Amino acid sequence: MSESNKNVLQQANAAVSRGDNEGFLSFCTDDLVWSTVGGETLRGKEAVRAWMVDGYAEPPTFTVRELVAEGDFVVALGDIESKDEKGSPVQNAYSDVWRFRDGKMAELRAFVIPVGSAGA
């Protein structure tokens, strides 16, 4: 189960990196809860889909450093590069804690921390 969940997460992240938000969402439950610690919580696949229109207007690049699975949970540790509203690169370190249900991603608790500023 743990290896299967890791594989699902890797496929889902690859879809996001390709700009295939619908492909990503196909790996999620309809009642997905997406929380960014210290930020907003999105409830339901439709809310995540709406957020992705702007939040992932330009696909981010993930570098996964560690992927740890235990039971229904997969934790990804790594770096993510995205673009700000001016198109400048934004670097963050992240830890995503995913809870799986029936082989799909059901809950995310994302910890995202800036690691520098563009042009610095």
Side-chain angles (χ1 to χ4, degrees):
M1 174 84 97
S2 295
E3 285 302 313
S4 175
N5 289 345
K6 284 169 62 173
N7 186 46
V8 167
L9 179 56
Q10 289 169 323
Q11 291 179 60
N13 281 346
V16 168
S17 293
R18 290 190 310 270
D20 181 6
N21 294 343
E22 288 304 314
F24 170 85
L25 291 168
S26 73
F27 293 102
C28 300
T29 62
D30 288 338
D31 62 346
L32 171 66
V33 176
W34 174 306
S35 299
T36 301
V37 175
E40 65 185 318
T41 297
L42 305 171
R43 297 187 184 282
K45 194 184 281 191
E46 291 304 317
V48 173
R49 179 180 282 118
W51 178 87
M52 291 177 104
V53 169
D54 292 324
Y56 287 164
E58 183 163 334
T61 302
F62 295 94
T63 303
V64 177
R65 306 259 179 234
E66 301 287 336
L67 204 55
V68 181
E70 178 73 29
D72 292 335
F73 290 90
V74 176
V75 177
L77 302 169
D79 305 301
I80 185 169
E81 180 179 302
S82 57
K83 304 278 179 158
D84 65 14
E85 56 279 348
K86 296 177 186 174
S88 299
V90 176
Q91 303 288 332
N92 289 290
Y94 79 95
S95 176
D96 283 351
V97 180
W98 285 97
R99 184 177 57 80
F100 282 73
R101 186 177 70 237
D102 300 326
K104 290 197 170 200
M105 300 182 305
E107 181 182 3
L108 167 64
R109 282 178 283 163
F111 299 81
V112 182
I113 302 165
V115 292
S117 59

